[in-house]
């Protein structure tokens, strides 16, 4: 398991995110030209209704959890990186921030009406188990939204390759924890494509699974309803 293969042990992933926490938000804005905020708002609106109990798993520095809060949710944000959570806590005291493992969520069955994950499932050691855990903590009829980088086809593919395989790792070399930006493109390459992720969601207990693309297919938003 190495950054070059896009696969790391959980402790290594945690350490990596602890290291890049100080630059995480700035890199998100730079890599997406600020569009990540719009994508997160769309993700929250897709599954969150006012008053919902919402889990944002792999919450990082909290931007998607805050989008869920703005959509009217009563939000819990969970991550296993202490440094990321420290930054999340500075952004909102209306959200319950929990340090925990997305593969063993510290919540009872059916605890939430909706769940979101933004750019996080790609880092799970066992994606199927992570999806099953999200299904477990959702009530029947609860809604899941997953926002994740994917690989576009068609005209954008060469530009995407230049950005993800060239510019992102180059920028990472100048920043703390820069190896994370070698890991990022590698982890995207080995992650299931949009159709495969939809099929995996269905096999782990979600129905009405749909997905749509942003930015010409660079990012996909998957949604589903817990059976």
């Amino acid at each position: 398991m190495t950054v070059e293969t896009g696969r790391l042990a959980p402790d290594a992933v945690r350490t990596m995110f602890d290291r890049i926490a100080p630059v995480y938000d700035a890199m998100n804005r730079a890599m997406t030209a600020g569009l990540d905020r719009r994508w997160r708002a769309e993700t929250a609106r897709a599954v969150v209704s006012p008053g919902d109990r919402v889990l944002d798993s792999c919450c990082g520095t909290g931007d998607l959890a805050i989008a869920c809060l703005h959509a009217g949710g009563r939000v819990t944000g969970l991550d296993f990186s202490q440094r990321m959570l420290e930054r999340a806590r500075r952004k909102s005291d209306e959200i319950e921030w929990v340090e925990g493992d997305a593969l063993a969520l510290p919540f009872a069955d059916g605890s939430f009406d909706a769940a979101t994950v933004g750019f996080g499932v790609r880092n799970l050691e066992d994606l199927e188990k992570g999806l099953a855990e999200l299904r477990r903590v959702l009530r029947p009829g609860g809604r899941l939204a997953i926002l994740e980088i994917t690989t576009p086809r068609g005209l954008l593919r060469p530009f995407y390759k230049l950005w993800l395989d060239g510019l992102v790792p180059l920028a990472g070399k100048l920043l703390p924890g820069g190896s994370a930006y070698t890991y990022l493109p590698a982890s995207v390459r080995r992650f299931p494509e949009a159709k495969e992720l939809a099929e995996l969601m269905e096999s782990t207990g979600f129905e009405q699974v749909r997905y749509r693309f942003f930015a010409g297919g660079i990012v996909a938003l998957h949604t589903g309803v817990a059976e």
Side-chain angles (χ1 to χ4, degrees):
M1 291 187 176
T2 65
V3 292
E4 289 80 11
T5 64
R7 293 185 183 277
L8 292 172
D11 285 347
V13 174
R14 181 189 294 109
T15 298
M16 180 181 68
F17 279 104
D18 280 345
R19 286 176 178 167
I20 66 170
V23 299
Y24 184 78
D25 286 344
M27 279 297 289
N28 277 344
R29 304 292 104 78
M31 288 191 301
T32 67
L35 291 173
D36 63 297
R37 286 175 169 164
R38 183 185 303 174
W39 299 336
R40 287 183 171 90
E42 289 281 347
T43 300
R45 284 194 291 267
V47 295
V48 178
S49 298
D52 278 351
R53 303 161 299 164
V54 183
L55 171 65
D56 183 39
S57 186
C58 308
C59 68
T61 59
D63 284 352
L64 180 51
I66 290 169
C68 293
L69 180 70
H70 290 165
R74 294 175 287 144
V75 185
T76 298
L78 175 137
D79 204 280
F80 70 171
S81 166
Q82 291 183 6
R83 298 293 177 263
M84 298 290 256
L85 284 172
E86 285 172 4
R87 293 182 174 270
R89 289 186 178 104
R90 296 174 197 169
K91 295 181 180 180
S92 177
D93 57 7
E94 296 181 66
I95 294 169
E96 180 185 8
W97 303 106
V98 176
E99 184 177 343
D101 186 351
L103 298 183
L105 293 169
F107 309 110
D109 296 0
S111 295
F112 298 97
D113 303 299
T116 58
V117 191
F119 307 113
V121 293
R122 194 183 66 256
N123 302 308
L124 298 180
E125 184 179 37
D126 186 334
L127 175 58
E128 186 172 359
K129 184 176 180 181
L131 292 173
E133 272 294 275
L134 289 165
R135 169 61 193 91
R136 180 184 66 78
V137 301
L138 283 169
R139 63 167 175 80
R143 300 167 301 282
L144 172 65
I146 296 174
L147 182 68
E148 190 53 85
I149 302 171
T150 190
T151 303
R153 301 184 182 275
L155 294 176
L156 276 181
R157 191 178 181 93
F159 300 99
Y160 172 88
K161 184 174 177 59
L162 173 64
W163 169 70
L164 195 64
D165 291 338
L167 299 179
V168 169
L170 179 62
K173 291 179 180 178
L174 308 176
L175 298 167
S179 63
Y181 298 100
T182 299
Y183 165 84
L184 171 60
S187 67
V188 172
R189 283 192 296 269
R190 57 91 179 157
F191 191 71
E193 293 191 0
K195 184 175 184 294
E196 294 175 84
L197 179 57
E199 291 170 351
L200 189 57
M201 288 173 65
E202 290 173 345
S203 72
T204 51
F206 292 93
E207 56 187 6
Q208 301 176 42
V209 176
R210 299 181 178 87
Y211 57 90
R212 56 187 169 118
F213 296 108
F214 298 128
I218 290 173
V219 173
L221 171 60
H222 286 69
T223 58
V225 177
E227 294 177 351

